[in-house]
mmCIF file with all atom_site columns, all heavy atoms in Angstrom:
data_model
loop_
_atom_site.group_PDB
_atom_site.id
_atom_site.type_symbol
_atom_site.label_atom_id
_atom_site.label_alt_id
_atom_site.label_comp_id
_atom_site.label_asym_id
_atom_site.label_entity_id
_atom_site.label_seq_id
_atom_site.pdbx_PDB_ins_code
_atom_site.Cartn_x
_atom_site.Cartn_y
_atom_site.Cartn_z
_atom_site.occupancy
_atom_site.B_iso_or_equiv
_atom_site.pdbx_formal_charge
_atom_site.auth_seq_id
_atom_site.auth_comp_id
_atom_site.auth_asym_id
_atom_site.auth_atom_id
_atom_site.pdbx_PDB_model_num
ATOM 1   N N   . ALA E 1 73 ? 18.562 13.130 -0.670  1.00 98.00 ? 73 ALA E N   1
ATOM 2   C CA  . ALA E 1 73 ? 19.666 12.734 -1.545  1.00 98.00 ? 73 ALA E CA  1
ATOM 3   C C   . ALA E 1 73 ? 19.132 11.884 -2.692  1.00 98.00 ? 73 ALA E C   1
ATOM 4   O O   . ALA E 1 73 ? 18.307 10.986 -2.486  1.00 98.00 ? 73 ALA E O   1
ATOM 5   C CB  . ALA E 1 73 ? 20.706 11.950 -0.742  1.00 98.00 ? 73 ALA E CB  1
ATOM 6   N N   . VAL E 1 74 ? 19.583 12.168 -3.891  1.00 97.00 ? 74 VAL E N   1
ATOM 7   C CA  . VAL E 1 74 ? 19.138 11.418 -5.065  1.00 97.00 ? 74 VAL E CA  1
ATOM 8   C C   . VAL E 1 74 ? 19.626 9.971  -4.975  1.00 97.00 ? 74 VAL E C   1
ATOM 9   O O   . VAL E 1 74 ? 20.783 9.701  -4.630  1.00 97.00 ? 74 VAL E O   1
ATOM 10  C CB  . VAL E 1 74 ? 19.657 12.075 -6.360  1.00 97.00 ? 74 VAL E CB  1
ATOM 11  C CG1 . VAL E 1 74 ? 19.311 11.224 -7.583  1.00 97.00 ? 74 VAL E CG1 1
ATOM 12  C CG2 . VAL E 1 74 ? 19.075 13.475 -6.509  1.00 97.00 ? 74 VAL E CG2 1
ATOM 13  N N   . ASP E 1 75 ? 18.719 9.041  -5.256  1.00 97.00 ? 75 ASP E N   1
ATOM 14  C CA  . ASP E 1 75 ? 19.004 7.600  -5.280  1.00 97.00 ? 75 ASP E CA  1
ATOM 15  C C   . ASP E 1 75 ? 19.398 7.022  -3.922  1.00 97.00 ? 75 ASP E C   1
ATOM 16  O O   . ASP E 1 75 ? 19.991 5.946  -3.846  1.00 97.00 ? 75 ASP E O   1
ATOM 17  C CB  . ASP E 1 75 ? 20.085 7.269  -6.320  1.00 97.00 ? 75 ASP E CB  1
ATOM 18  C CG  . ASP E 1 75 ? 19.529 7.225  -7.734  1.00 97.00 ? 75 ASP E CG  1
ATOM 19  O OD1 . ASP E 1 75 ? 18.323 6.953  -7.886  1.00 97.00 ? 75 ASP E OD1 1
ATOM 20  O OD2 . ASP E 1 75 ? 20.293 7.476  -8.690  1.00 97.00 ? 75 ASP E OD2 1
ATOM 21  N N   . ARG E 1 76 ? 19.054 7.715  -2.860  1.00 97.00 ? 76 ARG E N   1
ATOM 22  C CA  . ARG E 1 76 ? 19.263 7.159  -1.527  1.00 97.00 ? 76 ARG E CA  1
ATOM 23  C C   . ARG E 1 76 ? 17.919 6.655  -1.010  1.00 97.00 ? 76 ARG E C   1
ATOM 24  O O   . ARG E 1 76 ? 16.895 7.321  -1.170  1.00 97.00 ? 76 ARG E O   1
ATOM 25  C CB  . ARG E 1 76 ? 19.823 8.221  -0.583  1.00 97.00 ? 76 ARG E CB  1
ATOM 26  C CG  . ARG E 1 76 ? 20.275 7.667  0.761   1.00 97.00 ? 76 ARG E CG  1
ATOM 27  C CD  . ARG E 1 76 ? 20.887 8.753  1.632   1.00 97.00 ? 76 ARG E CD  1
ATOM 28  N NE  . ARG E 1 76 ? 21.492 8.197  2.832   1.00 97.00 ? 76 ARG E NE  1
ATOM 29  C CZ  . ARG E 1 76 ? 22.040 8.929  3.808   1.00 97.00 ? 76 ARG E CZ  1
ATOM 30  N NH1 . ARG E 1 76 ? 22.042 10.263 3.704   1.00 97.00 ? 76 ARG E NH1 1
ATOM 31  N NH2 . ARG E 1 76 ? 22.577 8.360  4.863   1.00 97.00 ? 76 ARG E NH2 1
ATOM 32  N N   . CYS E 1 77 ? 17.928 5.507  -0.397  1.00 98.00 ? 77 CYS E N   1
ATOM 33  C CA  . CYS E 1 77 ? 16.685 4.890  0.074   1.00 98.00 ? 77 CYS E CA  1
ATOM 34  C C   . CYS E 1 77 ? 16.438 5.262  1.544   1.00 98.00 ? 77 CYS E C   1
ATOM 35  O O   . CYS E 1 77 ? 17.315 5.119  2.385   1.00 98.00 ? 77 CYS E O   1
ATOM 36  C CB  . CYS E 1 77 ? 16.768 3.379  -0.076  1.00 98.00 ? 77 CYS E CB  1
ATOM 37  S SG  . CYS E 1 77 ? 15.241 2.520  0.327   1.00 98.00 ? 77 CYS E SG  1
ATOM 38  N N   . TYR E 1 78 ? 15.221 5.731  1.817   1.00 98.00 ? 78 TYR E N   1
ATOM 39  C CA  . TYR E 1 78 ? 14.804 6.089  3.169   1.00 98.00 ? 78 TYR E CA  1
ATOM 40  C C   . TYR E 1 78 ? 13.640 5.196  3.599   1.00 98.00 ? 78 TYR E C   1
ATOM 41  O O   . TYR E 1 78 ? 12.862 4.731  2.761   1.00 98.00 ? 78 TYR E O   1
ATOM 42  C CB  . TYR E 1 78 ? 14.360 7.553  3.228   1.00 98.00 ? 78 TYR E CB  1
ATOM 43  C CG  . TYR E 1 78 ? 15.421 8.559  2.851   1.00 98.00 ? 78 TYR E CG  1
ATOM 44  C CD1 . TYR E 1 78 ? 15.657 8.887  1.516   1.00 98.00 ? 78 TYR E CD1 1
ATOM 45  C CD2 . TYR E 1 78 ? 16.177 9.201  3.829   1.00 98.00 ? 78 TYR E CD2 1
ATOM 46  C CE1 . TYR E 1 78 ? 16.616 9.814  1.167   1.00 98.00 ? 78 TYR E CE1 1
ATOM 47  C CE2 . TYR E 1 78 ? 17.143 10.143 3.492   1.00 98.00 ? 78 TYR E CE2 1
ATOM 48  C CZ  . TYR E 1 78 ? 17.355 10.442 2.155   1.00 98.00 ? 78 TYR E CZ  1
ATOM 49  O OH  . TYR E 1 78 ? 18.319 11.374 1.805   1.00 98.00 ? 78 TYR E OH  1
ATOM 50  N N   . VAL E 1 79 ? 13.528 5.004  4.912   1.00 98.00 ? 79 VAL E N   1
ATOM 51  C CA  . VAL E 1 79 ? 12.452 4.183  5.465   1.00 98.00 ? 79 VAL E CA  1
ATOM 52  C C   . VAL E 1 79 ? 11.532 5.037  6.331   1.00 98.00 ? 79 VAL E C   1
ATOM 53  O O   . VAL E 1 79 ? 11.995 5.896  7.082   1.00 98.00 ? 79 VAL E O   1
ATOM 54  C CB  . VAL E 1 79 ? 13.029 3.036  6.339   1.00 98.00 ? 79 VAL E CB  1
ATOM 55  C CG1 . VAL E 1 79 ? 11.903 2.214  6.968   1.00 98.00 ? 79 VAL E CG1 1
ATOM 56  C CG2 . VAL E 1 79 ? 13.929 2.139  5.512   1.00 98.00 ? 79 VAL E CG2 1
ATOM 57  N N   . PHE E 1 80 ? 10.231 4.808  6.193   1.00 98.00 ? 80 PHE E N   1
ATOM 58  C CA  . PHE E 1 80 ? 9.260  5.377  7.125   1.00 98.00 ? 80 PHE E CA  1
ATOM 59  C C   . PHE E 1 80 ? 8.112  4.387  7.257   1.00 98.00 ? 80 PHE E C   1
ATOM 60  O O   . PHE E 1 80 ? 8.055  3.382  6.526   1.00 98.00 ? 80 PHE E O   1
ATOM 61  C CB  . PHE E 1 80 ? 8.758  6.755  6.662   1.00 98.00 ? 80 PHE E CB  1
ATOM 62  C CG  . PHE E 1 80 ? 7.911  6.737  5.411   1.00 98.00 ? 80 PHE E CG  1
ATOM 63  C CD1 . PHE E 1 80 ? 6.535  6.812  5.480   1.00 98.00 ? 80 PHE E CD1 1
ATOM 64  C CD2 . PHE E 1 80 ? 8.513  6.686  4.143   1.00 98.00 ? 80 PHE E CD2 1
ATOM 65  C CE1 . PHE E 1 80 ? 5.746  6.824  4.334   1.00 98.00 ? 80 PHE E CE1 1
ATOM 66  C CE2 . PHE E 1 80 ? 7.738  6.703  2.983   1.00 98.00 ? 80 PHE E CE2 1
ATOM 67  C CZ  . PHE E 1 80 ? 6.358  6.762  3.082   1.00 98.00 ? 80 PHE E CZ  1
ATOM 68  N N   . PHE E 1 81 ? 7.217  4.617  8.203   1.00 98.00 ? 81 PHE E N   1
ATOM 69  C CA  . PHE E 1 81 ? 6.122  3.675  8.435   1.00 98.00 ? 81 PHE E CA  1
ATOM 70  C C   . PHE E 1 81 ? 4.779  4.348  8.171   1.00 98.00 ? 81 PHE E C   1
ATOM 71  O O   . PHE E 1 81 ? 4.498  5.433  8.677   1.00 98.00 ? 81 PHE E O   1
ATOM 72  C CB  . PHE E 1 81 ? 6.187  3.131  9.868   1.00 98.00 ? 81 PHE E CB  1
ATOM 73  C CG  . PHE E 1 81 ? 7.331  2.179  10.080  1.00 98.00 ? 81 PHE E CG  1
ATOM 74  C CD1 . PHE E 1 81 ? 8.603  2.665  10.341  1.00 98.00 ? 81 PHE E CD1 1
ATOM 75  C CD2 . PHE E 1 81 ? 7.150  0.814  9.981   1.00 98.00 ? 81 PHE E CD2 1
ATOM 76  C CE1 . PHE E 1 81 ? 9.676  1.800  10.507  1.00 98.00 ? 81 PHE E CE1 1
ATOM 77  C CE2 . PHE E 1 81 ? 8.218  -0.062 10.148  1.00 98.00 ? 81 PHE E CE2 1
ATOM 78  C CZ  . PHE E 1 81 ? 9.482  0.437  10.413  1.00 98.00 ? 81 PHE E CZ  1
ATOM 79  N N   . TYR E 1 82 ? 3.965  3.660  7.351   1.00 98.00 ? 82 TYR E N   1
ATOM 80  C CA  . TYR E 1 82 ? 2.672  4.192  6.946   1.00 98.00 ? 82 TYR E CA  1
ATOM 81  C C   . TYR E 1 82 ? 1.949  3.089  6.168   1.00 98.00 ? 82 TYR E C   1
ATOM 82  O O   . TYR E 1 82 ? 2.625  2.317  5.486   1.00 98.00 ? 82 TYR E O   1
ATOM 83  C CB  . TYR E 1 82 ? 2.865  5.427  6.064   1.00 98.00 ? 82 TYR E CB  1
ATOM 84  C CG  . TYR E 1 82 ? 1.585  6.144  5.710   1.00 98.00 ? 82 TYR E CG  1
ATOM 85  C CD1 . TYR E 1 82 ? 1.005  7.060  6.580   1.00 98.00 ? 82 TYR E CD1 1
ATOM 86  C CD2 . TYR E 1 82 ? 0.944  5.893  4.506   1.00 98.00 ? 82 TYR E CD2 1
ATOM 87  C CE1 . TYR E 1 82 ? -0.175 7.714  6.257   1.00 98.00 ? 82 TYR E CE1 1
ATOM 88  C CE2 . TYR E 1 82 ? -0.244 6.532  4.176   1.00 98.00 ? 82 TYR E CE2 1
ATOM 89  C CZ  . TYR E 1 82 ? -0.797 7.445  5.054   1.00 98.00 ? 82 TYR E CZ  1
ATOM 90  O OH  . TYR E 1 82 ? -1.972 8.087  4.735   1.00 98.00 ? 82 TYR E OH  1
ATOM 91  N N   . PRO E 1 83 ? 0.642  2.983  6.226   1.00 98.00 ? 83 PRO E N   1
ATOM 92  C CA  . PRO E 1 83 ? -0.300 3.764  7.036   1.00 98.00 ? 83 PRO E CA  1
ATOM 93  C C   . PRO E 1 83 ? -0.432 3.280  8.482   1.00 98.00 ? 83 PRO E C   1
ATOM 94  O O   . PRO E 1 83 ? -1.185 3.851  9.259   1.00 98.00 ? 83 PRO E O   1
ATOM 95  C CB  . PRO E 1 83 ? -1.619 3.565  6.284   1.00 98.00 ? 83 PRO E CB  1
ATOM 96  C CG  . PRO E 1 83 ? -1.502 2.197  5.702   1.00 98.00 ? 83 PRO E CG  1
ATOM 97  C CD  . PRO E 1 83 ? -0.052 2.056  5.320   1.00 98.00 ? 83 PRO E CD  1
ATOM 98  N N   . TYR E 1 84 ? 0.326  2.221  8.809   1.00 98.00 ? 84 TYR E N   1
ATOM 99  C CA  . TYR E 1 84 ? 0.319  1.711  10.179  1.00 98.00 ? 84 TYR E CA  1
ATOM 100 C C   . TYR E 1 84 ? 1.723  1.813  10.763  1.00 98.00 ? 84 TYR E C   1
ATOM 101 O O   . TYR E 1 84 ? 2.718  1.880  10.027  1.00 98.00 ? 84 TYR E O   1
ATOM 102 C CB  . TYR E 1 84 ? -0.168 0.257  10.206  1.00 98.00 ? 84 TYR E CB  1
ATOM 103 C CG  . TYR E 1 84 ? -1.551 0.073  9.647   1.00 98.00 ? 84 TYR E CG  1
ATOM 104 C CD1 . TYR E 1 84 ? -1.749 -0.329 8.329   1.00 98.00 ? 84 TYR E CD1 1
ATOM 105 C CD2 . TYR E 1 84 ? -2.683 0.321  10.433  1.00 98.00 ? 84 TYR E CD2 1
ATOM 106 C CE1 . TYR E 1 84 ? -3.020 -0.488 7.802   1.00 98.00 ? 84 TYR E CE1 1
ATOM 107 C CE2 . TYR E 1 84 ? -3.964 0.166  9.916   1.00 98.00 ? 84 TYR E CE2 1
ATOM 108 C CZ  . TYR E 1 84 ? -4.123 -0.235 8.604   1.00 98.00 ? 84 TYR E CZ  1
ATOM 109 O OH  . TYR E 1 84 ? -5.394 -0.375 8.088   1.00 98.00 ? 84 TYR E OH  1
ATOM 110 N N   . ALA E 1 85 ? 1.792  1.793  12.083  1.00 98.00 ? 85 ALA E N   1
ATOM 111 C CA  . ALA E 1 85 ? 3.069  1.951  12.769  1.00 98.00 ? 85 ALA E CA  1
ATOM 112 C C   . ALA E 1 85 ? 4.040  0.823  12.468  1.00 98.00 ? 85 ALA E C   1
ATOM 113 O O   . ALA E 1 85 ? 5.249  0.984  12.637  1.00 98.00 ? 85 ALA E O   1
ATOM 114 C CB  . ALA E 1 85 ? 2.840  2.057  14.276  1.00 98.00 ? 85 ALA E CB  1
ATOM 115 N N   . GLY E 1 86 ? 3.522  -0.329 12.019  1.00 98.00 ? 86 GLY E N   1
ATOM 116 C CA  . GLY E 1 86 ? 4.388  -1.465 11.755  1.00 98.00 ? 86 GLY E CA  1
ATOM 117 C C   . GLY E 1 86 ? 4.537  -1.835 10.288  1.00 98.00 ? 86 GLY E C   1
ATOM 118 O O   . GLY E 1 86 ? 5.097  -2.886 9.970   1.00 98.00 ? 86 GLY E O   1
ATOM 119 N N   . THR E 1 87 ? 4.055  -0.970 9.365   1.00 98.00 ? 87 THR E N   1
ATOM 120 C CA  . THR E 1 87 ? 4.171  -1.287 7.931   1.00 98.00 ? 87 THR E CA  1
ATOM 121 C C   . THR E 1 87 ? 5.205  -0.376 7.279   1.00 98.00 ? 87 THR E C   1
ATOM 122 O O   . THR E 1 87 ? 4.957  0.804  7.048   1.00 98.00 ? 87 THR E O   1
ATOM 123 C CB  . THR E 1 87 ? 2.810  -1.146 7.223   1.00 98.00 ? 87 THR E CB  1
ATOM 124 O OG1 . THR E 1 87 ? 2.217  0.135  7.539   1.00 98.00 ? 87 THR E OG1 1
ATOM 125 C CG2 . THR E 1 87 ? 1.860  -2.237 7.698   1.00 98.00 ? 87 THR E CG2 1
ATOM 126 N N   . PRO E 1 88 ? 6.393  -0.920 6.975   1.00 98.00 ? 88 PRO E N   1
ATOM 127 C CA  . PRO E 1 88 ? 7.491  -0.107 6.443   1.00 98.00 ? 88 PRO E CA  1
ATOM 128 C C   . PRO E 1 88 ? 7.277  0.302  4.992   1.00 98.00 ? 88 PRO E C   1
ATOM 129 O O   . PRO E 1 88 ? 6.680  -0.424 4.188   1.00 98.00 ? 88 PRO E O   1
ATOM 130 C CB  . PRO E 1 88 ? 8.695  -1.040 6.578   1.00 98.00 ? 88 PRO E CB  1
ATOM 131 C CG  . PRO E 1 88 ? 8.105  -2.416 6.459   1.00 98.00 ? 88 PRO E CG  1
ATOM 132 C CD  . PRO E 1 88 ? 6.764  -2.330 7.127   1.00 98.00 ? 88 PRO E CD  1
ATOM 133 N N   . CYS E 1 89 ? 7.803  1.480  4.657   1.00 98.00 ? 89 CYS E N   1
ATOM 134 C CA  . CYS E 1 89 ? 7.737  2.009  3.297   1.00 98.00 ? 89 CYS E CA  1
ATOM 135 C C   . CYS E 1 89 ? 9.108  2.538  2.904   1.00 98.00 ? 89 CYS E C   1
ATOM 136 O O   . CYS E 1 89 ? 9.907  2.902  3.760   1.00 98.00 ? 89 CYS E O   1
ATOM 137 C CB  . CYS E 1 89 ? 6.729  3.150  3.201   1.00 98.00 ? 89 CYS E CB  1
ATOM 138 S SG  . CYS E 1 89 ? 5.080  2.775  3.809   1.00 98.00 ? 89 CYS E SG  1
ATOM 139 N N   . TYR E 1 90 ? 9.339  2.599  1.600   1.00 98.00 ? 90 TYR E N   1
ATOM 140 C CA  . TYR E 1 90 ? 10.558 3.202  1.090   1.00 98.00 ? 90 TYR E CA  1
ATOM 141 C C   . TYR E 1 90 ? 10.232 4.542  0.436   1.00 98.00 ? 90 TYR E C   1
ATOM 142 O O   . TYR E 1 90 ? 9.282  4.644  -0.349  1.00 98.00 ? 90 TYR E O   1
ATOM 143 C CB  . TYR E 1 90 ? 11.237 2.296  0.063   1.00 98.00 ? 90 TYR E CB  1
ATOM 144 C CG  . TYR E 1 90 ? 11.983 1.131  0.677   1.00 98.00 ? 90 TYR E CG  1
ATOM 145 C CD1 . TYR E 1 90 ? 12.171 -0.054 -0.036  1.00 98.00 ? 90 TYR E CD1 1
ATOM 146 C CD2 . TYR E 1 90 ? 12.508 1.209  1.961   1.00 98.00 ? 90 TYR E CD2 1
ATOM 147 C CE1 . TYR E 1 90 ? 12.867 -1.120 0.522   1.00 98.00 ? 90 TYR E CE1 1
ATOM 148 C CE2 . TYR E 1 90 ? 13.198 0.150  2.518   1.00 98.00 ? 90 TYR E CE2 1
ATOM 149 C CZ  . TYR E 1 90 ? 13.370 -1.019 1.800   1.00 98.00 ? 90 TYR E CZ  1
ATOM 150 O OH  . TYR E 1 90 ? 14.054 -2.067 2.365   1.00 98.00 ? 90 TYR E OH  1
ATOM 151 N N   . LEU E 1 91 ? 11.021 5.541  0.768   1.00 98.00 ? 91 LEU E N   1
ATOM 152 C CA  . LEU E 1 91 ? 10.939 6.858  0.151   1.00 98.00 ? 91 LEU E CA  1
ATOM 153 C C   . LEU E 1 91 ? 12.211 7.055  -0.652  1.00 98.00 ? 91 LEU E C   1
ATOM 154 O O   . LEU E 1 91 ? 13.312 6.877  -0.131  1.00 98.00 ? 91 LEU E O   1
ATOM 155 C CB  . LEU E 1 91 ? 10.814 7.947  1.227   1.00 98.00 ? 91 LEU E CB  1
ATOM 156 C CG  . LEU E 1 91 ? 10.798 9.394  0.739   1.00 98.00 ? 91 LEU E CG  1
ATOM 157 C CD1 . LEU E 1 91 ? 9.466  9.713  0.060   1.00 98.00 ? 91 LEU E CD1 1
ATOM 158 C CD2 . LEU E 1 91 ? 11.027 10.357 1.906   1.00 98.00 ? 91 LEU E CD2 1
ATOM 159 N N   . ILE E 1 92 ? 12.078 7.413  -1.931  1.00 98.00 ? 92 ILE E N   1
ATOM 160 C CA  . ILE E 1 92 ? 13.241 7.537  -2.807  1.00 98.00 ? 92 ILE E CA  1
ATOM 161 C C   . ILE E 1 92 ? 13.078 8.759  -3.707  1.00 98.00 ? 92 ILE E C   1
ATOM 162 O O   . ILE E 1 92 ? 12.013 8.965  -4.305  1.00 98.00 ? 92 ILE E O   1
ATOM 163 C CB  . ILE E 1 92 ? 13.402 6.292  -3.715  1.00 98.00 ? 92 ILE E CB  1
ATOM 164 C CG1 . ILE E 1 92 ? 13.343 4.998  -2.896  1.00 98.00 ? 92 ILE E CG1 1
ATOM 165 C CG2 . ILE E 1 92 ? 14.712 6.370  -4.498  1.00 98.00 ? 92 ILE E CG2 1
ATOM 166 C CD1 . ILE E 1 92 ? 13.142 3.760  -3.753  1.00 98.00 ? 92 ILE E CD1 1
ATOM 167 N N   . ARG E 1 93 ? 14.126 9.550  -3.774  1.00 98.00 ? 93 ARG E N   1
ATOM 168 C CA  . ARG E 1 93 ? 14.183 10.596 -4.793  1.00 98.00 ? 93 ARG E CA  1
ATOM 169 C C   . ARG E 1 93 ? 15.013 10.022 -5.941  1.00 98.00 ? 93 ARG E C   1
ATOM 170 O O   . ARG E 1 93 ? 16.239 9.945  -5.868  1.00 98.00 ? 93 ARG E O   1
ATOM 171 C CB  . ARG E 1 93 ? 14.833 11.874 -4.255  1.00 98.00 ? 93 ARG E CB  1
ATOM 172 C CG  . ARG E 1 93 ? 14.833 13.020 -5.267  1.00 98.00 ? 93 ARG E CG  1
ATOM 173 C CD  . ARG E 1 93 ? 15.491 14.271 -4.714  1.00 98.00 ? 93 ARG E CD  1
ATOM 174 N NE  . ARG E 1 93 ? 15.452 15.355 -5.694  1.00 98.00 ? 93 ARG E NE  1
ATOM 175 C CZ  . ARG E 1 93 ? 16.048 16.526 -5.517  1.00 98.00 ? 93 ARG E CZ  1
ATOM 176 N NH1 . ARG E 1 93 ? 16.722 16.778 -4.402  1.00 98.00 ? 93 ARG E NH1 1
ATOM 177 N NH2 . ARG E 1 93 ? 15.965 17.455 -6.457  1.00 98.00 ? 93 ARG E NH2 1
ATOM 178 N N   . LEU E 1 94 ? 14.318 9.590  -6.960  1.00 97.00 ? 94 LEU E N   1
ATOM 179 C CA  . LEU E 1 94 ? 14.965 8.871  -8.046  1.00 97.00 ? 94 LEU E CA  1
ATOM 180 C C   . LEU E 1 94 ? 15.867 9.771  -8.883  1.00 97.00 ? 94 LEU E C   1
ATOM 181 O O   . LEU E 1 94 ? 15.626 10.970 -9.004  1.00 97.00 ? 94 LEU E O   1
ATOM 182 C CB  . LEU E 1 94 ? 13.901 8.234  -8.953  1.00 97.00 ? 94 LEU E CB  1
ATOM 183 C CG  . LEU E 1 94 ? 13.027 7.158  -8.320  1.00 97.00 ? 94 LEU E CG  1
ATOM 184 C CD1 . LEU E 1 94 ? 11.856 6.820  -9.245  1.00 97.00 ? 94 LEU E CD1 1
ATOM 185 C CD2 . LEU E 1 94 ? 13.839 5.907  -8.017  1.00 97.00 ? 94 LEU E CD2 1
ATOM 186 N N   . GLY E 1 95 ? 16.856 9.138  -9.484  1.00 94.00 ? 95 GLY E N   1
ATOM 187 C CA  . GLY E 1 95 ? 17.730 9.855  -10.410 1.00 94.00 ? 95 GLY E CA  1
ATOM 188 C C   . GLY E 1 95 ? 17.232 9.748  -11.834 1.00 94.00 ? 95 GLY E C   1
ATOM 189 O O   . GLY E 1 95 ? 17.918 10.177 -12.771 1.00 94.00 ? 95 GLY E O   1
ATOM 190 N N   . VAL E 1 96 ? 16.038 9.175  -12.018 1.00 92.00 ? 96 VAL E N   1
ATOM 191 C CA  . VAL E 1 96 ? 15.424 9.049  -13.343 1.00 92.00 ? 96 VAL E CA  1
ATOM 192 C C   . VAL E 1 96 ? 14.017 9.627  -13.276 1.00 92.00 ? 96 VAL E C   1
ATOM 193 O O   . VAL E 1 96 ? 13.413 9.716  -12.203 1.00 92.00 ? 96 VAL E O   1
ATOM 194 C CB  . VAL E 1 96 ? 15.373 7.576  -13.805 1.00 92.00 ? 96 VAL E CB  1
ATOM 195 C CG1 . VAL E 1 96 ? 16.778 7.018  -13.974 1.00 92.00 ? 96 VAL E CG1 1
ATOM 196 C CG2 . VAL E 1 96 ? 14.594 6.720  -12.802 1.00 92.00 ? 96 VAL E CG2 1
ATOM 197 N N   . LEU E 1 97 ? 13.494 10.015 -14.408 1.00 89.00 ? 97 LEU E N   1
ATOM 198 C CA  . LEU E 1 97 ? 12.153 10.573 -14.462 1.00 89.00 ? 97 LEU E CA  1
ATOM 199 C C   . LEU E 1 97 ? 11.100 9.499  -14.241 1.00 89.00 ? 97 LEU E C   1
ATOM 200 O O   . LEU E 1 97 ? 11.301 8.333  -14.581 1.00 89.00 ? 97 LEU E O   1
ATOM 201 C CB  . LEU E 1 97 ? 11.915 11.257 -15.814 1.00 89.00 ? 97 LEU E CB  1
ATOM 202 C CG  . LEU E 1 97 ? 12.788 12.482 -16.125 1.00 89.00 ? 97 LEU E CG  1
ATOM 203 C CD1 . LEU E 1 97 ? 12.492 13.000 -17.526 1.00 89.00 ? 97 LEU E CD1 1
ATOM 204 C CD2 . LEU E 1 97 ? 12.573 13.574 -15.094 1.00 89.00 ? 97 LEU E CD2 1
#
Side-chain angles (χ1 to χ4, degrees):
V74 175
D75 281 334
R76 189 177 188 184
C77 185
Y78 300 84
V79 178
F80 68 100
F81 289 82
Y82 186 83
Y84 301 97
T87 50
C89 307
Y90 283 153
L91 177 73
I92 310 165
R93 184 181 181 186
L94 296 169
V96 296
L97 296 177

